[in-house]
Amino acid sequence: METNKIKRKVTVIEENTQWQLHQLFGEYIKKLDRLPDAREVQQNPLRSAPKERTVMVF
C-alpha cells in the first residue's frame, strides 16, 4: 500500500525566536512521525497512566 505524504513549506520569518519555534516544532513532528525500532520498544516498558489523568468510571 502506497502512502501519500503532504509536504508543506514554512516561510522563514526574520525574527530569530519565531524561527527557533518553527525549527523545534518541525523536529518534534519528525520525531513523532518515525516508528520506534525494536531496541527502543524493549527499553520502554508499558506503564499505567497516573491517577490524576484517569477519570473514574462507575
Side-chain angles (χ1 to χ4, degrees):
M1 181 176 206
E2 186 178 329
T3 60
N4 295 329
K5 288 193 175 185
I6 299 172
K7 293 184 179 182
R8 296 183 178 141
K9 187 174 181 180
V10 177
T11 56
V12 178
I13 300 172
E14 294 298 323
E15 292 181 28
N16 197 19
T17 56
Q18 187 72 24
W19 180 84
Q20 287 175 343
L21 289 174
H22 282 287
Q23 187 75 16
L24 289 173
F25 185 70
E27 291 172 5
Y28 176 72
I29 293 299
K30 280 185 182 178
K31 185 178 177 183
L32 285 180
D33 194 31
R34 78 171 180 83
L35 296 173
D37 60 357
R39 181 173 291 170
E40 284 179 313
V41 171
Q42 289 174 351
Q43 290 177 349
N44 294 324
L46 296 176
R47 296 176 290 185
S48 60
K51 291 181 182 178
E52 320 63 69
R53 300 266 177 155
T54 57
V55 179
M56 294 180 65
V57 179
F58 289 102

